[in-house]
Amino acid sequence: MKKEDCEGYSWRETVMCKADYSGQQLSKLRAHYRRKIAALDDEGEERRDPQALLRSFDTMEESWETYREATCELKCYGTVEWMPVDDMCYLECRASGDEIRMEQLIELMGYIGTWPNPLAERTEILRTRRFDITLTAGCELGFFDCEEMRYRGMNRETEESLELRGRRLRDCTWDEPCVWRGYEFEYEGVVYRIDESGTLDVVRSKDGTVLVSEQGAWETVR
């Protein structure tokens, strides 16, 4: 879902759409940070426990939800018995609260980004049997929800290289947080896909023929 999807509706429908959009965006950002926190390295001179950090993060977000709900109920308390809470006011308040929370999380996680494995990383490297592939995110939040991905692949056997532009793949529904599916790049009728586990598939667009399929390992550039 994109913000533009909420344009062209009546006032009431626009409010409902924006509330859904902001809620989905916040859920996506939380899921992204949870995944990055879980991947933090607990080795080295400054040992950290990723699971303890996850518990702290979840507790923090649960507290925010409680605060936001109470704030919106107080702000939108109705004046008639049959409507104790003004629904439209409540939805607008939720949307505004979600937007505020996203800004707060982005700022807060910027500090965590100084850890050995930054949460807003800009570059990752995938090494397969034959290829070294560097993915670079051209977005403010790094790989999160980024439509400006760059691919640079080098064949170690031939030393040939290829540079492409593409996007991050995700599956989203109205009711559930988005699920990340990897990355996709296309060049001259050939699609280059990399999934979250590090599998590189090179597929011919016109007939779906798999030209290359290699499992690799991720390396984060620090």
Side-chain angles (χ1 to χ4, degrees):
M1 182 181 184
K2 297 181 180 180
K3 199 168 188 177
E4 307 87 76
D5 295 337
C6 296
E7 297 176 357
Y9 291 105
S10 67
W11 170 76
R12 182 178 293 272
E13 291 171 328
T14 297
V15 170
M16 295 171 66
C17 185
K18 287 183 176 179
D20 285 334
Y21 168 77
S22 59
Q24 186 184 88
Q25 288 295 100
L26 180 57
S27 294
K28 286 160 57 179
L29 186 61
R30 283 170 172 165
H32 172 72
Y33 282 144
R34 291 192 86 261
R35 185 172 67 86
K36 301 311 296 183
I37 291 172
L40 285 172
D41 191 355
D42 62 358
E43 302 295 335
E45 296 180 0
E46 298 181 4
R47 292 181 61 87
R48 298 180 175 87
D49 181 354
Q51 293 305 312
L53 291 170
L54 274 177
R55 289 192 293 271
S56 296
F57 180 82
D58 289 341
T59 298
M60 177 178 70
E61 292 312 287
E62 289 170 4
S63 297
W64 166 260
E65 287 293 316
T66 300
Y67 166 77
R68 194 268 314 273
E69 291 297 303
T71 298
C72 290
E73 287 182 4
L74 284 170
K75 178 180 178 181
C76 301
Y77 189 80
T79 57
V80 293
E81 182 178 350
W82 55 269
M83 192 175 67
V85 175
D86 184 319
D87 290 341
M88 291 298 102
C89 172
Y90 179 75
L91 288 175
E92 285 187 314
C93 181
R94 279 186 60 95
S96 175
D98 287 343
E99 291 170 1
I100 290 171
R101 190 55 183 166
M102 283 195 66
E103 293 176 1
Q104 292 174 339
L105 280 178
I106 290 168
E107 181 179 0
L108 175 63
M109 293 303 159
Y111 295 105
I112 299 179
T114 63
W115 293 354
N117 187 352
L119 299 187
E121 77 278 20
R122 294 291 188 273
T123 303
E124 283 191 349
I125 295 174
L126 177 68
R127 301 192 191 279
T128 70
R129 182 174 60 85
R130 289 181 294 167
F131 300 97
D132 289 338
I133 300 165
T134 301
L135 297 183
T136 306
C139 299
E140 180 182 358
L141 294 181
F143 282 83
F144 173 70
D145 210 17
C146 191
E147 295 284 343
E148 300 175 20
M149 298 297 307
R150 293 187 291 275
Y151 169 114
R152 186 179 188 278
M154 187 185 75
N155 187 321
R156 292 193 300 275
E157 296 176 351
T158 65
E159 296 188 352
E160 294 179 337
S161 64
L162 178 66
E163 295 189 10
L164 306 170
R165 291 182 179 272
R167 62 193 178 95
R168 189 157 191 200
L169 301 174
R170 59 192 181 275
D171 289 339
C172 299
T173 67
W174 286 92
D175 302 319
E176 299 293 336
C178 293
V179 177
W180 305 112
R181 297 300 187 193
Y183 310 87
E184 183 175 272
F185 309 84
E186 189 166 359
Y187 178 71
E188 294 187 346
V190 178
V191 177
Y192 298 73
R193 294 193 186 98
I194 299 174
D195 68 17
E196 296 291 322
S197 71
T199 300
L200 167 67
D201 287 319
V202 181
V203 181
R204 193 159 54 205
S205 300
K206 66 178 182 180
D207 57 11
T209 299
V210 178
L211 305 176
V212 174
S213 184
E214 293 188 10
Q215 177 65 46
W218 289 107
E219 295 180 12
T220 298
V221 178
R222 298 177 180 177

